[in-house]
């Protein structure tokens, strides 16, 4: 069972870029690519011993998006490692070579201002869940600290910008910090949504609801005494007020949506 989990963890989703650089350049690029899944730019621990290594030798590597992981955990891997440790690596590489142009899978209109992919794919859109463990590990940023491996902080279930909910992923707080991903505003929003209302808030909501029901009855009620022209006018005013309302997400209803709301209420 453990072998099956390991195999699943190492499944390639897609290869998104390739480039050839001197080994010393790779070391400089990869030293800042670290998450709970990636160490110095790779899924595998690389040998740091430079003795006998020609640092000016060119080496080709591939930027890999891993299955079940977000774009936060992409890594630069050699073809040798991919083919040795990942089932289906040859097929993924062939697909990349067939589709890529200039060493890039995504075209400019897909990458926008990103080097290899759209930066919004590592931008938090919404936090859907926060781990509720009582003993949340303290965040440890120093890799040399003996508690570094456990010091991941909270775990968030994140919906990313321009990605569907089916591509939401669990992420540790430390990984977001290491990769300079802004998340605190999304945490505040989640906590606000999840907070239990006070009795005063519940009472206020009930009063607001009852007031709104009375208002709607005066507009749509069957026993309201008014002419058709008067009713049409007041319904139109209600629809206009719906369109003018700005909701919490900043959106507004279009005219046909306001008409649809009115129709549903009138038939309720």
């Amino acid at each position: 069972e453990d072998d099956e989990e390991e195999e699943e963890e190492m499944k390639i989703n897609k290869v998104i870029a390739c480039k050839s650089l001197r080994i010393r350049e790779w070391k400089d690029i990869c030293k800042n690519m670290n998450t709970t899944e990636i160490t110095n730019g790779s899924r595998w621990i690389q040998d740091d011993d430079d003795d006998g290594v020609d640092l000016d030798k060119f080496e080709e590597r591939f930027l890999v998006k891993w299955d079940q992981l977000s774009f936060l955990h992409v890594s630069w891997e050699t073809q040798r490692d991919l083919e040795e440790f990942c089932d289906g690596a040859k097929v993924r590489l062939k697909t990349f070579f067939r589709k890529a142009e200039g060493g890039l899978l995504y075209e400019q209109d897909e990458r926008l201002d990103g080097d290899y992919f759209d930066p919004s794919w590592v931008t938090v859109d919404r936090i859907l869940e926060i781990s509720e463990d009582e003993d949340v590990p303290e965040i440890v940023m120093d890799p040399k600290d003996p508690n570094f491996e456990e010091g991941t902080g909270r775990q968030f279930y994140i919906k990313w910008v321009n990605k569907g909910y089916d591509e939401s992923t669990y992420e540790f707080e430390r990984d977001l910090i290491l990769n300079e991903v802004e998340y605190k505003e999304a945490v505040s929003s989640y906590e606000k949504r999840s907070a239990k209302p006070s009795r005063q808030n519940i009472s206020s909501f009930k009063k607001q609801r009852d007031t709104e029901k009375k208002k709607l009855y005066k507009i749509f009620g069957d026993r309201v005494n008014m002419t058709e022209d008067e009713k049409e006018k007041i319904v139109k005013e209600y629809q206009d007020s719906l369109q003018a309302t700005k909701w919490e997400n900043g959106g507004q209803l279009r005219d046909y949506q306001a008409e649809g709301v009115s129709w549903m209420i009138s038939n309720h």
Side-chain angles (χ1 to χ4, degrees):
E1 185 178 338
D2 291 340
D3 291 341
E4 290 179 3
E5 289 180 1
E6 181 70 16
E7 196 172 295
E8 181 68 21
E9 288 178 0
M10 293 297 182
K11 186 176 179 181
I12 299 170
N13 179 266
K14 60 181 61 119
V15 178
I16 58 178
C18 75
K19 63 194 309 183
S20 183
L21 297 172
R22 290 182 174 86
I23 292 177
R24 69 171 69 252
E25 293 176 295
W26 279 125
K27 285 182 174 290
D28 189 53
I29 290 172
C30 294
K31 68 182 180 182
N32 295 318
M33 294 177 64
N34 294 284
T35 70
T36 52
E37 303 290 341
I38 305 299
T39 302
N40 292 331
S42 176
R43 291 298 302 270
W44 300 281
I45 302 298
Q46 302 295 322
D47 188 1
D48 288 334
D49 188 1
D50 292 337
D51 289 345
V53 177
D54 182 1
L55 296 179
D56 288 319
K57 178 183 177 182
F58 278 87
E59 182 175 72
E60 184 179 52
R61 296 191 188 183
F62 297 86
L63 188 62
V64 176
K65 160 69 170 66
W66 298 95
D67 199 45
Q68 304 299 317
L69 297 179
S70 70
F71 279 83
L72 198 65
H73 306 280
V74 295
S75 63
W76 287 104
E77 311 292 354
T78 64
Q79 184 170 348
R80 179 185 63 254
D81 283 346
L82 291 176
E83 292 182 353
E84 181 177 350
F85 299 115
C86 299
D87 287 344
K90 290 183 178 180
V91 174
R92 295 297 187 187
L93 288 168
K94 284 182 180 179
T95 300
F96 170 75
F97 289 131
R98 187 176 72 252
K99 295 183 176 181
E101 292 187 11
L104 299 169
L105 179 64
Y106 296 114
E107 296 182 358
Q108 183 65 57
D109 60 344
E110 294 177 288
R111 301 195 312 272
L112 300 181
D113 58 348
D115 292 332
Y116 306 108
F117 55 85
D118 184 349
S120 71
W121 298 345
V122 287
T123 301
V124 176
D125 184 13
R126 185 181 179 93
I127 289 181
L128 307 176
E129 180 186 332
I130 298 180
S131 59
E132 299 293 340
D133 296 342
E134 293 184 4
D135 300 324
V136 176
E138 181 180 349
I139 298 174
V140 178
M141 301 300 291
D142 184 3
K144 296 179 180 179
D145 190 298
N147 297 315
F148 179 77
E149 187 171 343
E150 293 79 22
T152 56
R154 294 172 291 179
Q155 190 176 44
F156 307 125
Y157 189 42
I158 295 177
K159 193 263 181 204
W160 302 98
V161 172
N162 292 329
K163 287 293 180 183
Y165 280 88
D166 61 329
E167 295 184 75
S168 299
T169 54
Y170 284 98
E171 305 291 346
F172 286 111
E173 188 169 8
R174 184 176 65 195
D175 288 344
L176 300 179
I177 296 171
L178 283 171
N179 289 276
E180 300 181 346
V181 175
E182 176 54 48
Y183 67 95
K184 292 184 178 179
E185 186 175 334
V187 169
S188 297
S189 178
Y190 171 84
E191 291 173 343
K192 183 179 178 181
R193 294 195 313 270
S194 304
K196 293 182 179 179
S198 65
R199 289 185 178 181
Q200 183 178 354
N201 288 338
I202 293 173
S203 177
S204 176
F205 173 77
K206 286 181 177 179
K207 288 180 181 178
Q208 184 179 355
R209 182 191 62 189
D210 291 342
T211 301
E212 187 66 19
K213 283 173 68 176
K214 291 177 182 178
K215 175 184 174 183
L216 293 175
Y217 182 77
K218 290 179 180 179
I219 299 173
F220 299 102
D222 294 334
R223 299 180 183 179
V224 177
N225 186 19
M226 67 175 71
T227 66
E228 285 298 321
D229 288 344
E230 288 174 332
K231 185 165 186 176
E232 185 178 337
K233 179 182 178 182
I234 198 170
V235 169
K236 180 65 169 61
E237 289 174 352
Y238 177 72
Q239 291 175 358
D240 290 343
S241 70
L242 283 178
Q243 291 182 65
T245 300
K246 282 195 174 182
W247 308 99
E248 288 189 6
N249 64 357
Q252 290 178 277
L253 294 184
R254 299 182 183 273
D255 54 356
Y256 66 88
Q257 292 172 320
E259 289 178 13
V261 171
S262 299
W263 179 83
M264 286 190 293
I265 294 173
S266 65
N267 285 276
H268 180 64

